[in-house]
Amino acid sequence: MNLSAQVSTPQLAGIFAALFNRAFATMRELGKIRWAQKDGQPPQLLYTERSRGESGVLAFRARFEGGVHFSATAHQHLIYFQMSPSVQIECRMDGLHAKQNATAGALAIGPAGIYCEAESNQSMDVLLIAVDPRRLALASAEDHVLDAELRARVSGYDEYLLRAARQLESEVADGYPRGPLFWNEAASRLIDRLLTGHTSIPLPSSRGRLGPYALRRIRDYVFAHIAEPIQVAELAALIGRSEFHFSRVFARSVGMTPYRYVVHLRLQAAIQHMRDGRMGLAEIAAETGFADQSHLSRWVRRVHGVAPSELA
């Protein structure tokens, strides 16, 4: 963040107070989180902006002076990276315990709803990535591995995951210079790595879950009829379930309602058309099943946080 030399001290204090309040309001949204440095005060938050749209991923960088206390039971999956050169740290989570000399890049993973805590008597920089469980569920479904569960970890190292997290951190620090599509794609790469490297193999789908074959049928049907109106009842009939039961099972398995999933697939197709640059926005809307150009624009703004022209 570049501040002009003409900004007065009271103005500067007001700017940083606003950044502090916005950042900690965002942290409160994540769940029950308590963090403090040696003097009992909250750590210094280095990056405080949140991404536009609905990527389902947030990135924070915090600096603890003289010591660390961190405890959380979050609504979201939390991935912690220790960014200082070398720190003695003790972590506990879900019955796991580690007391170690953590080098830069060491990670811990706290799945949503799991109590975790960390202590150190040294200064430390921490990069924290928060992932909405619904976003992980959607990515799991799209990879045909429904119900994958994120594993708790109190120690470890994953170079690929660290690179993805640093890329997100760089975007936050610089004010998202490469735009929302780049952010969403970087967030997707991080989530894909979580899926491939840090989830447990799911058990076979039960009657209360949607199976991979059923989801493939639904996805293929949507793309085959993407320019047409699609009703939830049609999707339920594909796999022989009542509309009510199907909607509950689908949301539990995929992380969003059937209607929202159809919009998700329509947006994927629409954005690909925008990138190709061969159609106008009104034609793209018609080709991908949106009511009109305004309807498509509203969904682009909601999901990606910008106008369609900024995506193209």
Side-chain angles (χ1 to χ4, degrees):
M1 179 178 182
N2 294 321
L3 296 175
S4 169
Q6 283 75 37
V7 176
S8 67
T9 299
Q11 287 176 318
L12 191 61
I15 290 170
F16 281 111
L19 292 175
F20 178 90
N21 291 335
R22 186 162 66 243
F24 276 89
T26 301
M27 290 300 292
R28 285 195 297 272
E29 293 174 15
L30 301 183
K32 297 179 180 178
I33 295 178
R34 181 178 182 271
W35 54 0
Q37 51 191 21
K38 183 178 181 179
D39 61 5
Q41 295 299 310
Q44 178 187 0
L45 283 174
L46 305 182
Y47 310 133
T48 60
E49 295 293 326
R50 65 181 302 163
S51 63
R52 294 176 289 181
E54 299 179 347
S55 71
V57 175
L58 297 173
F60 300 86
R61 181 73 176 259
R63 177 169 297 156
F64 295 80
E65 295 293 345
V68 176
H69 170 79
F70 183 96
S71 61
T73 305
H75 305 314
Q76 302 201 10
H77 303 313
L78 300 180
I79 301 94
Y80 316 84
F81 294 93
Q82 196 288 109
M83 304 304 292
S84 301
S86 181
V87 173
Q88 286 286 336
I89 186 167
E90 186 170 5
C91 300
R92 295 181 180 84
M93 185 189 310
D94 196 31
L96 304 173
H97 176 239
K99 190 172 185 179
Q100 60 182 321
N101 184 32
T103 56
L107 67 82
I109 298 175
I114 297 294
Y115 177 76
C116 53
E117 62 180 353
E119 298 276 355
S120 176
N121 59 8
Q122 298 175 257
S123 298
M124 183 190 305
D125 273 17
V126 175
L127 173 58
L128 175 63
I129 306 293
V131 177
D132 189 326
R134 294 171 297 184
R135 185 65 182 82
L136 188 69
L138 175 61
S140 173
E142 293 191 320
D143 203 32
H144 307 302
V145 185
L146 292 166
D147 306 331
E149 295 183 356
L150 192 64
R151 295 193 303 267
R153 294 191 64 173
V154 291
S155 63
Y157 189 87
D158 184 327
E159 183 177 353
Y160 188 96
L161 194 62
L162 176 61
R163 286 203 306 268
R166 291 299 301 267
Q167 197 169 49
L168 293 172
E169 176 196 17
S170 176
E171 282 294 292
V172 175
D174 296 337
Y176 306 96
R178 286 174 281 193
L181 269 189
F182 179 87
W183 170 270
N184 287 346
E185 289 168 356
S188 293
R189 287 192 291 273
L190 181 137
I191 290 171
D192 288 345
R193 178 56 191 167
L194 285 176
L195 280 173
T196 58
H198 301 279
T199 56
S200 59
I201 299 173
L203 296 172
S205 296
S206 67
R207 291 177 60 85
R209 295 285 179 172
L210 193 70
Y213 173 73
L215 185 63
R216 279 195 295 271
R217 287 200 68 189
I218 292 165
R219 183 182 179 87
D220 291 346
Y221 181 87
V222 172
F223 279 126
H225 300 83
I226 199 164
E228 307 165 17
I230 298 173
Q231 302 299 322
V232 173
E234 298 172 51
L235 304 180
L238 285 176
I239 59 172
R241 300 203 185 190
S242 71
E243 183 177 344
F244 174 74
H245 185 246
F246 168 75
S247 295
R248 292 180 61 189
V249 168
F250 191 96
R252 190 183 304 128
S253 301
V254 181
M256 58 176 53
T257 66
Y259 168 76
R260 189 66 174 79
Y261 183 67
V262 171
V263 173
H264 168 73
L265 297 182
R266 292 191 195 280
L267 274 176
Q268 282 187 344
I271 289 170
Q272 186 57 55
H273 284 309
M274 290 178 205
R275 286 177 153 176
D276 291 343
R278 298 172 186 172
M279 298 182 187
L281 200 59
E283 187 179 2
I284 292 173
E287 286 287 326
T288 54
F290 290 94
D292 52 33
Q293 178 176 331
S294 295
H295 186 213
L296 170 58
S297 297
R298 287 196 299 273
W299 272 107
V300 169
R301 286 183 181 277
R302 174 175 169 177
V303 173
H304 295 288
V306 296
S309 58
E310 294 180 69
L311 291 183

